[in-house]
């Protein structure tokens, strides 16, 4: 049985009942709230392990709420999974931009909900183990991005690339090389038979990030938005989530 705590913020009674019963049945400690105000009051007392957040709430949208939570040091790392009846690339990209961890569409499937919650808790655990490594690499990242044009960071990885004999190994090799500079990144490769291989530096799937890659594929060779940068070649698409914005 699980023991993690989850806040569900949902103003639709039937959706709330379904999510609450399913997650309680899996052993999670669930608290229910129907508004932004109830969520704030609950957060003053206790910060949960995860928040399931409806996008269409009265008075303040889930997107605005997420932005506010990401600016608060107490909730900046809490996984926020959006719940919405909208299933468009634009909505999912917006969810990613404001700091969402994942996205579940309505009508809600019980098994899909459980799998999403499990995956996000697993990612949170792995992220905790990587935190120190990322912090140690952050200063290196700032230097590396300024010197990349002069020295060429790919030089170091070229021998390893030549040893790759399949697409997945190639993608992981390139992402490992990028991750050592402190970048959180994902790569999509179009294989010889036209199918796509998606690989993330964490080793876990990130649906929102690959939805963003798909949206940016046809928008130019380099697409930047805030700290997110997409590099698009004919068959290879690289996404860096935390590109430094300083000169």
């Amino acid at each position: 049985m699980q023991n993690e705590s989850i806040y569900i913020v949902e103003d639709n009674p039937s959706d709330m009942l379904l999510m609450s019963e399913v997650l309680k049945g899996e052993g999670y400690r669930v608290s229910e709230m129907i508004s932004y105000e109830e969520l704030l009051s609950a957060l003053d007392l206790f910060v949960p392990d995860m928040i399931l957040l409806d996008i269409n709430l009265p008075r303040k949208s889930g997107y605005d709420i997420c932005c506010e939570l990401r600016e608060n040091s107490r909730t900046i790392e809490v996984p926020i999974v959006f719940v919405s009846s909208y299933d468009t690339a634009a909505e999912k990209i917006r969810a990613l931009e404001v700091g969402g961890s994942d996205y579940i569409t309505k009508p809600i499937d019980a098994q899909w909900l459980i799998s999403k919650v499990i995956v996000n808790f697993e990612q949170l655990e792995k992220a905790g183990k990587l935190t120190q490594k990322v912090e140690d690499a952050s200063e290196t990242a700032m230097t590396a991005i300024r010197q990349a044009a002069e020295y060429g960071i790919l030089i170091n990885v070229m021998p390893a690339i030549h040893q790759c004999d399949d697409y997945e190994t190639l993608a992981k090799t390139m992402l490992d090389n990028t991750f050592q500079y402190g970048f959180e990144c994902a790569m999509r490769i179009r294989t010889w038979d036209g199918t796509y291989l998606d690989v993330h530096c964490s080793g876990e799937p990130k649906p929102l990030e690959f939805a963003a890659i798909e949206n940016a594929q046809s928008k130019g060779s380099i697409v930047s938005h805030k700290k997110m940068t997409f590099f698009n070649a004919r068959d290879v698409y690289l996404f860096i989530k935390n590109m430094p914005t300083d000169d």
Side-chain angles (χ1 to χ4, degrees):
M1 298 291 284
Q2 312 298 327
N3 193 42
E4 290 92 344
S5 59
I6 301 175
Y7 283 177
I8 303 177
V9 190
E10 170 65 70
D11 64 340
N12 182 296
S14 60
D15 289 332
M16 173 70 84
L17 179 62
L18 172 60
M19 289 188 287
S20 181
E21 288 190 346
V22 167
L23 295 176
K24 286 179 180 177
E26 292 297 309
Y28 295 105
R29 293 180 288 119
V30 176
S31 297
E32 304 170 4
M33 45 211 71
I34 63 173
S35 68
Y36 166 70
E37 291 78 13
E38 287 189 11
L39 174 61
L40 285 187
S41 296
L43 289 173
D44 283 341
L45 300 175
F46 178 75
V47 176
D49 297 307
M50 180 180 294
I51 298 174
L52 297 183
L53 182 59
D54 185 25
I55 290 177
N56 293 319
L57 292 170
R59 290 181 291 281
K60 180 170 280 196
S61 75
Y63 294 139
D64 291 336
I65 294 172
C66 186
C67 285
E68 186 171 319
L69 296 180
R70 290 303 183 228
E71 293 175 354
N72 187 321
S73 60
R74 297 176 66 237
T75 54
I76 191 171
E77 299 293 342
V78 176
I80 298 175
V81 179
F82 284 108
V83 182
S84 175
S85 57
Y86 300 117
D87 189 18
T88 67
E91 294 289 339
K92 293 176 182 178
I93 291 170
R94 176 63 176 151
L96 178 63
E97 289 176 344
V98 299
S101 306
D102 212 330
Y103 195 101
I104 299 174
T105 55
K106 300 178 182 180
I108 297 167
D109 178 82
Q111 290 304 314
W112 187 241
L113 171 64
I114 294 169
S115 67
K116 286 285 190 178
V117 169
I118 291 174
V119 165
N120 277 276
F121 275 134
E122 289 176 346
Q123 291 176 351
L124 182 64
E125 182 180 359
K126 290 184 178 181
K129 295 177 181 178
L130 290 172
T131 296
Q132 187 59 52
K133 182 176 180 180
V134 172
E135 290 177 351
D136 292 343
S138 60
E139 184 174 349
T140 304
M142 294 300 297
T143 302
I145 195 63
R146 288 192 293 265
Q147 297 180 345
E150 181 178 356
Y151 297 109
I153 62 174
L154 287 178
I155 292 176
N156 295 328
V157 80
M158 288 304 295
I161 288 177
H162 286 303
Q163 299 298 317
C164 298
D165 56 8
D166 59 72
Y167 290 111
E168 185 169 3
T169 303
L170 172 63
K172 289 181 178 179
T173 299
M174 295 183 69
L175 289 183
D176 287 345
N177 181 70
T178 308
F179 183 73
Q180 69 176 304
Y181 293 97
F183 299 133
E184 183 176 347
C185 46
M187 178 174 288
R188 167 170 286 181
I189 296 179
R190 181 160 47 204
T191 66
W192 65 271
D193 62 356
T195 60
Y196 288 110
L197 171 68
D198 293 336
V199 181
H200 192 273
C201 63
S202 69
E204 296 293 334
K206 297 274 189 175
L208 286 181
E209 297 186 8
F210 288 111
I213 290 176
E214 183 174 352
N215 182 71
Q217 282 179 200
S218 60
K219 295 186 177 180
S221 57
I222 301 178
V223 181
S224 296
H225 181 73
K226 299 181 180 177
K227 289 188 176 183
M228 298 188 296
T229 303
F230 302 84
F231 299 91
N232 301 314
R234 187 180 63 180
D235 296 314
V236 179
Y237 312 93
L238 175 65
F239 168 53
I240 296 179
K241 186 177 181 180
N242 60 334
M243 180 71 79
T245 56
D246 296 347
D247 293 334

